[in-house]
């Protein structure tokens, strides 16, 4: 037990030792959240709880891997590892066992965003594909079936989208495909319609922990409720001040209202920050205090005061990028590690001038969150080949690569094969393997028959190699199908070949790290990759604030601190979420922080005069053109608790100097109390 508790502060210890009932760990930025959650898992196992009775859910594979390793390192006994994975990985594992409950086979294939868009494109809609894809995702996460979507759609375009949604769903079922949303949607549907199975799963996972709870959406909350069907042993860890994904469905109410969703919740606040200096935290605390919808906490630096935050003021983006490049050059020349330097921006459009400035200064950088590695055409081709080898019934992947590299098998030939296979009620490869030679020649011609035969033989050889040795399998993919040679001849061939080599290297590394794994295991891991799993290398990083979530840098620059850029303003913008983004940006910095604003920017074809961001004033860093009063987290109607007067309801809020005064009704007795003397229930 000493190994578990040795390096924990009092709040962390309290969180670790609270194992029964609902627990909300409010973990501020840099407060040792991962250490706390892994120590708590280790503590559970050390008490003798069966690892099979625990379930820990995260949002990235990288976080899951780190947590698993850290938890197991705290336990000397040899135990089999607990289930610690992403929400989507849990959905995948669950569906592999229980998708039959929906009358479907567990040989389903997971498709990604790019696959989804190609399917939608095949329906030849007259509405932008990204809009359709986004609406379908919204329907699914709201558990709205195609029929209901069609019935309730009012506007013509949304009626069209609902009809496409219906076609898309039918296509997925016919081809036994599962998209990313389905991993959770189908899991929830199975648990919702089968009480016995829901009871069984809930009894299996007696101790549930969820990381980054502020990022959960409505569907994830409903799924969590199902997992807690027979008990309330749920611990969620998160920070309402870092809830920045409202635009993609995250619901901040999940964490704000957790005590209402799970009665008798214990709340433990982690407020000691081990990442940033007090100067940085002072600005972060001051900024976020202007938000009303928060549970409330104040970060306190463990590492000392540190250097003051610098503010860069420039006439335009060219001067701004030159100043930042000059400062980064000085840091690098003084021996700073490039990996410890990052530049953040609120919107991606600001990266252009920044990249030009870094290029001029010959500073190597990587743009995190640009086109994802796994969405590049050459990589998707390789993955499609692997999918066909793993699952010969995957007609979807076959269609992508049957003519890549070019084999003369065009759309007309493929359509003929698809039609014949459909009429024979077989997947295409089964039909090609089993059909009579004369029948195939008469259908597609002698030349195409010969080409197809060689293609099938190549796949067959790879299949047997994948079962013998994945090392040999990797080497033979290129020998048999020659994708490198195919892409080498293209205008950007060198870059594509480097990507292919990177993929082969990744595959070999996976085999080395997981010698007992199968091709299916590798494909499942690929399907669950995220942007942040790819961050490494010897260059500085430039990225959006969203992409920086969960990361930390010794030297940090944030550009674009102007009204309209950071915060974004206008229709659809949420100033509280913008402020949380500002809080996240500031708390990525460990030692040195530079915040930059300009007087004008060239944006969307014209130069625009700008005023500095209100966030600079709210963070107490300079005088600003916009001044907003600090707000309090208390509002009229809140239930609060006082040490002497007990529980009461807020009937009014007023400001007194730097404090807030609350008018509170304590069971008919009205009192005026300063906000700092009560806590919200």
């Amino acid at each position: 037990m000493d190994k578990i508790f040795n390096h924990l502060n009092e709040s962390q210890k309290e969180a670790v030792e609270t194992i029964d009932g609902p627990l909300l760990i409010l973990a501020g930025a840099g407060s040792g959240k991962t250490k706390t959650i892994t120590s708590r898992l280790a503590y559970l196992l050390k008490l003798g709880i069966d690892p099979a009775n625990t379930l820990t859910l995260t949002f990235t594979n990288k976080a899951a891997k780190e947590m698993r390793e850290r938890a197991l390192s705290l336990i000397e006994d040899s135990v089999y590892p607990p289930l610690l994975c992403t929400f989507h990985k849990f959905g995948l594992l669950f569906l592999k066992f229980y998708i039959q409950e929906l009358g479907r086979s567990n040989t389903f294939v997971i498709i990604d965003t790019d696959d989804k868009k190609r399917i939608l494109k095949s329906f030849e809609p007259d509405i932008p594909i990204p809009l359709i894809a986004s609406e379908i995702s919204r329907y699914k996460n709201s558990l709205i079936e195609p029929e209901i979507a069609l019935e309730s759609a009012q506007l013509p375009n949304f009626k069209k989208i609902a009809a496409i949604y219906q076609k898309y769903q039918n296509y997925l079922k016919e081809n036994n495909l599962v998209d990313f949303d389905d991993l959770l949607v189908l899991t929830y549907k199975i648990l919702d319609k089968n009480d016995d199975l829901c009871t069984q799963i809930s009894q299996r996972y007696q101790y549930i922990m969820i990381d980054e709870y502020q990022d959960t959406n409505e569907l994830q909350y409903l799924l969590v409720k199902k997992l807690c069907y027979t008990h309330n042993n749920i611990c969620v860890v998160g920070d309402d001040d870092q809830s920045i994904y409202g635009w993609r469905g995250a619901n901040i109410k999940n964490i704000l209202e957790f005590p209402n969703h799970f009665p008798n919740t214990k709340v433990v606040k982690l407020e000691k920050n081990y990442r940033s200096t007090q100067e940085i935290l002072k600005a972060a605390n001051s900024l976020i205090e202007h938000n009303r919808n928060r549970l409330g906490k104040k970060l306190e630096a463990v590492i000392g005061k540190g250097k003051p935050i610098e503010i860069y003021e420039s006439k335009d983006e060219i001067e701004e990028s030159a100043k930042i490049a000059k400062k980064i050059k000085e840091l690098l020349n003084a021996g700073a590690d490039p990996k410890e330097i990052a530049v953040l921006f609120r919107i991606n459009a600001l990266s252009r001038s920044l990249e030009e400035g870094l290029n001029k200064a010959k500073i190597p950088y990587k743009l995190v969150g640009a086109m994802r590695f796994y969405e590049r055409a050459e990589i998707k081709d390789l993955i499609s080949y692997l999918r066909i080898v793993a699952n010969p019934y995957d007609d979807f992947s076959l269609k992508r690569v049957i003519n890549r590299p070019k084999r003369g098998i065009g759309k007309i030939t493929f359509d003929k094969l698809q039609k014949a296979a459909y009429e024979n009620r077989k997947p295409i490869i089964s039909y090609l393997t089993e059909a009579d030679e004369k029948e195939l020649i008469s259908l597609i011609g002698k030349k195409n028959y010969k080409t197809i035969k060689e293609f099938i033989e190549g796949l067959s050889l790879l299949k047997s190699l994948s079962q013998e040795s994945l090392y040999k399998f990797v080497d033979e993919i290129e020998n048999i199908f020659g994708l490198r040679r195919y892409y080498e001849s293209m205008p950007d061939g060198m870059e594509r070949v480097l990507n292919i080599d990177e993929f082969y290297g990744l595959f070999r590394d996976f085999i080395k790290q997981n010698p007992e794994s199968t091709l299916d295991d590798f494909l499942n891991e690929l399907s669950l990759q995220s942007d942040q799993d790819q961050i490494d290398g010897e260059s500085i990083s430039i990225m959006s604030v969203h992409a920086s979530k969960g990361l930390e840098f010794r030297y940090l620059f944030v550009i674009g601190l102007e009204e309209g850029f950071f915060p974004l303003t206008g229709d659809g913008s949420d100033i509280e979420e913008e402020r949380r983004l500002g809080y996240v940006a500031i708390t990525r910095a460990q030692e040195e922080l530079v915040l930059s604003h300009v007087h004008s920017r060239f944006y969307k074809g014209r130069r625009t005069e700008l005023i500095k961001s209100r966030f600079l004033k709210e963070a107490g860093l300079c005088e600003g053109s916009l001044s907003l009063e600090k707000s309090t987290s208390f509002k009229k109607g809140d239930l609060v608790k006082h040490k002497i007067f007990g529980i009461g309801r807020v009937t009014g809020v007023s400001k007194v100097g730097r404090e807030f005064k609350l008018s509170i009704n304590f069971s008919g007795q009205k009192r005026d109390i300063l906000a700092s003397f009560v806590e919200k229930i």
Side-chain angles (χ1 to χ4, degrees):
M1 288 293 185
D2 287 348
K3 196 173 180 183
I4 294 173
F5 288 102
N6 269 348
H7 304 290
L8 300 179
N9 63 39
E10 288 309 307
S11 298
Q12 291 169 337
K13 282 178 186 172
E14 185 183 1
V16 168
E17 290 179 311
T18 304
I19 61 168
D20 293 318
L23 171 66
L24 168 58
I25 304 174
L26 268 185
S31 63
K33 165 180 75 79
T34 303
K35 182 200 288 186
T36 305
I37 197 169
T38 51
S39 298
R40 188 175 185 274
L41 178 57
Y43 181 65
L44 286 171
L45 302 185
K46 202 75 176 166
L47 290 176
I49 288 161
D50 187 341
N53 292 142
T54 70
L55 172 64
T56 306
L57 297 173
T58 69
F59 276 83
T60 68
N61 295 309
K62 187 178 179 182
K65 186 182 177 202
E66 182 191 351
M67 284 185 180
R68 188 182 301 109
E69 287 170 357
R70 284 173 69 166
L72 293 179
S73 72
L74 294 170
I75 306 165
E76 285 116 23
D77 308 338
S78 177
V79 294
Y80 57 90
L83 183 52
L84 201 163
C85 61
T86 64
F87 269 95
H88 290 91
K89 179 73 174 279
F90 175 77
L92 168 65
L93 296 171
F94 180 87
L95 292 180
K96 283 289 177 186
F97 283 102
Y98 301 110
I99 200 169
Q100 296 95 321
E101 295 281 325
L102 298 174
R104 292 182 58 174
S105 162
N106 70 354
T107 59
F108 61 84
V109 170
I110 307 169
I111 61 167
D112 63 17
T113 307
D114 201 40
D115 297 325
K116 178 179 178 178
K117 286 178 180 173
R118 281 199 297 121
I119 294 168
L120 294 173
K121 197 174 179 182
S122 72
F123 301 144
E124 300 180 352
D126 57 0
I127 299 170
I129 300 294
L131 174 62
I132 300 170
S134 168
E135 280 302 300
I136 287 175
S137 188
R138 188 179 67 80
Y139 285 139
K140 288 194 174 193
N141 281 282
S142 302
L143 298 171
I144 297 171
E145 296 293 338
E147 300 76 23
I148 304 297
L150 204 52
E151 209 175 281
S152 58
Q154 300 294 320
L155 299 171
N157 268 2
F158 284 94
K159 282 193 180 295
K160 285 181 186 176
I161 290 172
I164 293 165
Y165 174 31
Q166 196 158 38
K167 271 190 192 177
Y168 172 73
Q169 283 299 88
N170 291 338
Y171 185 95
L172 294 190
K173 284 175 188 170
E174 285 164 13
N175 292 277
N176 203 19
L177 303 174
V178 165
D179 68 18
F180 224 53
D181 294 321
D182 285 335
L183 292 174
L184 300 187
V185 172
L186 299 181
T187 296
Y188 174 77
K189 283 181 178 176
I190 291 167
L191 291 172
D192 190 47
K193 68 177 255 190
N194 190 331
D195 279 355
D196 289 343
L197 180 59
C198 191
T199 300
Q200 178 191 327
I201 296 298
S202 179
Q203 286 174 344
R204 178 183 305 165
Y205 301 116
Q206 286 288 321
Y207 297 90
I208 296 171
M209 285 195 282
I210 300 166
D211 189 22
E212 303 287 11
Y213 193 67
Q214 77 281 346
D215 294 337
T216 54
N217 62 21
E218 184 65 17
L219 175 58
Q220 285 160 334
Y221 159 68
L222 291 172
L223 186 54
V224 168
K225 287 292 279 184
K226 290 293 177 190
L227 294 173
C228 295
Y229 193 61
T230 62
H231 62 81
N232 261 345
N233 287 336
I234 177 167
C235 164
V236 301
V237 187
D239 184 359
D240 52 321
D241 292 333
Q242 294 187 72
S243 178
I244 60 173
Y245 296 113
W247 52 277
R248 72 176 188 200
N251 188 351
I252 191 172
K253 287 184 178 179
N254 287 353
I255 191 165
L256 293 178
E257 297 176 4
F258 182 82
N260 300 333
H261 297 156
F262 295 90
N264 303 316
T265 291
K266 180 172 184 175
V267 179
V268 176
K269 295 181 183 181
L270 306 185
E271 296 173 299
K272 284 190 177 176
N273 176 286
Y274 296 87
R275 174 191 298 156
S276 310
T277 62
Q278 191 58 42
E279 284 290 308
I280 290 166
L281 295 183
K282 182 182 167 188
N285 286 330
S286 181
L287 173 65
I288 203 63
E289 277 175 8
H290 288 77
N291 272 4
R292 287 181 64 85
N293 293 313
R294 61 190 295 257
L295 295 166
K297 64 183 171 326
K298 202 158 192 169
L299 295 179
E300 180 188 325
V302 171
I303 62 175
K305 188 176 180 185
K307 293 183 179 180
I309 295 169
E310 287 189 77
I311 307 292
Y312 282 5
E313 181 176 358
S314 309
K315 71 175 190 293
D316 59 23
E317 70 275 15
I318 297 166
E319 185 183 327
E320 176 184 60
S321 60
K323 280 183 183 176
I324 286 171
K326 184 185 175 196
K327 175 69 174 176
I328 291 172
K329 198 79 173 172
E330 287 170 4
L331 288 170
L332 294 172
N333 289 340
D337 185 339
K339 293 201 292 291
E340 294 187 321
I341 303 172
V343 188
L344 309 184
F345 37 80
R346 170 66 182 90
I347 56 174
N348 290 318
L350 297 195
S351 76
R352 181 190 60 80
S353 56
L354 177 62
E355 289 184 71
E356 285 176 8
L358 294 172
N359 283 329
K360 280 178 190 168
K362 294 185 168 51
I363 296 170
Y365 67 89
K366 59 189 170 196
L367 176 59
V368 178
M371 179 179 272
R372 295 181 186 181
F373 184 72
Y374 297 103
E375 290 180 0
R376 292 169 182 162
E378 60 275 18
I379 302 305
K380 291 192 73 66
D381 287 350
L382 273 168
I383 291 170
S384 292
Y385 272 110
L386 300 189
R387 282 176 171 179
I388 300 165
V389 172
N391 177 16
Y393 305 133
D394 184 0
D395 289 353
F396 183 78
S397 296
L398 179 67
K399 185 176 183 179
R400 181 181 178 94
V401 297
I402 197 164
N403 200 39
R404 200 172 294 180
K406 294 194 182 300
R407 300 184 178 88
I409 310 296
K411 185 177 185 302
I412 293 169
T413 303
F414 185 83
D415 286 348
K416 285 179 182 176
L417 289 172
Q418 197 169 32
K419 185 171 182 283
Y422 180 77
E423 286 168 355
N424 282 274
R425 296 174 181 267
K426 290 176 182 173
I428 295 172
I429 288 187
S430 296
Y431 169 70
L432 289 170
T433 309
E434 297 163 21
D436 179 73
E437 180 177 334
K438 287 179 183 175
E439 180 186 337
L440 281 173
I441 290 172
S442 81
L443 180 68
I444 59 174
K446 199 166 187 176
K447 187 183 173 188
N448 282 341
Y449 169 73
K450 189 183 173 189
T451 304
I452 290 277
K453 192 179 176 188
E454 286 173 6
F455 177 72
I456 297 291
E457 284 169 356
L459 289 174
S460 181
L461 176 58
L462 283 177
K463 179 76 176 173
S464 57
L465 279 173
S466 74
Q467 291 163 346
E468 289 170 28
S469 162
L470 283 183
Y471 274 109
K472 286 183 190 172
F473 172 79
V474 178
D475 295 331
E476 283 304 310
I477 298 172
E478 193 52 45
N479 294 337
I480 294 170
F481 292 117
L483 274 169
R484 283 177 97 261
R485 294 191 299 277
Y486 170 66
Y487 278 108
E488 217 164 21
S489 59
M490 295 186 175
D492 55 350
M494 186 183 290
E495 186 184 336
R496 289 178 183 267
V497 165
L498 287 172
N499 291 337
I500 288 170
D501 288 342
E502 179 74 10
F503 182 84
Y504 286 145
L506 175 82
F507 196 176
R508 288 189 181 95
D509 190 54
F510 176 83
I511 299 163
K512 190 177 174 184
Q513 299 295 328
N514 307 275
E516 301 301 314
S517 290
T518 64
L519 182 56
D520 264 327
D521 295 330
F522 178 64
L523 287 169
N524 287 336
E525 283 301 310
L526 287 187
S527 300
L528 302 164
Q529 288 288 349
S530 73
D531 269 357
Q532 287 192 14
D533 294 337
Q534 314 306 322
I535 296 175
D536 55 19
E538 290 302 314
S539 52
I540 74 157
S541 298
I542 67 174
M543 66 187 85
S544 69
V545 179
H546 281 101
S548 75
K549 176 77 165 49
L551 304 176
E552 56 187 47
F553 300 93
R554 190 173 176 187
Y555 311 100
L556 188 76
F557 301 80
V558 185
I559 66 170
L561 270 289
E562 303 101 27
E563 287 295 306
F565 284 90
F566 200 1
L568 282 181
T569 52
D571 289 346
S573 65
D574 176 348
I575 193 61
E576 294 222 345
E577 182 151 319
E578 290 296 309
R579 202 172 277 115
R580 291 193 292 270
L581 272 166
Y583 176 82
V584 166
I586 290 170
T587 54
R588 298 311 93 200
Q590 295 172 295
E591 291 179 22
E592 294 186 27
L593 174 62
V594 173
L595 303 177
S596 173
H597 69 95
V598 300
H599 294 296
S600 79
R601 285 190 189 280
F602 192 76
Y603 181 61
K604 290 187 176 176
R606 63 189 178 90
R607 183 152 295 281
T608 309
E609 294 299 316
L610 303 165
I611 57 174
K612 71 177 80 166
S613 170
R614 71 188 78 180
F615 292 169
L616 294 170
K617 162 79 183 211
E618 292 177 358
L621 296 170
C622 66
E623 290 303 311
S625 53
L626 288 174
S627 178
L628 296 177
E629 287 291 327
K630 273 189 183 179
S631 65
T632 172
S633 61
F634 295 100
K635 59 186 183 298
K636 192 175 176 180
D638 283 348
L639 273 177
V640 294
K641 185 179 181 182
H642 187 274
K643 284 181 181 176
I644 306 296
F645 305 123
I647 293 172
R649 190 174 293 278
V650 177
T651 58
V653 181
S654 57
K655 200 164 190 301
V656 181
R658 293 187 174 185
E659 254 281 23
F660 282 89
K661 184 168 70 176
L662 307 179
S663 297
I664 306 169
N665 184 338
F666 293 99
S667 303
Q669 206 169 24
K670 294 179 182 178
R671 297 182 185 273
D672 290 338
I673 307 282
L674 292 176
S676 54
F677 286 83
V678 298
E679 60 179 334
K680 195 184 288 186
I681 296 176

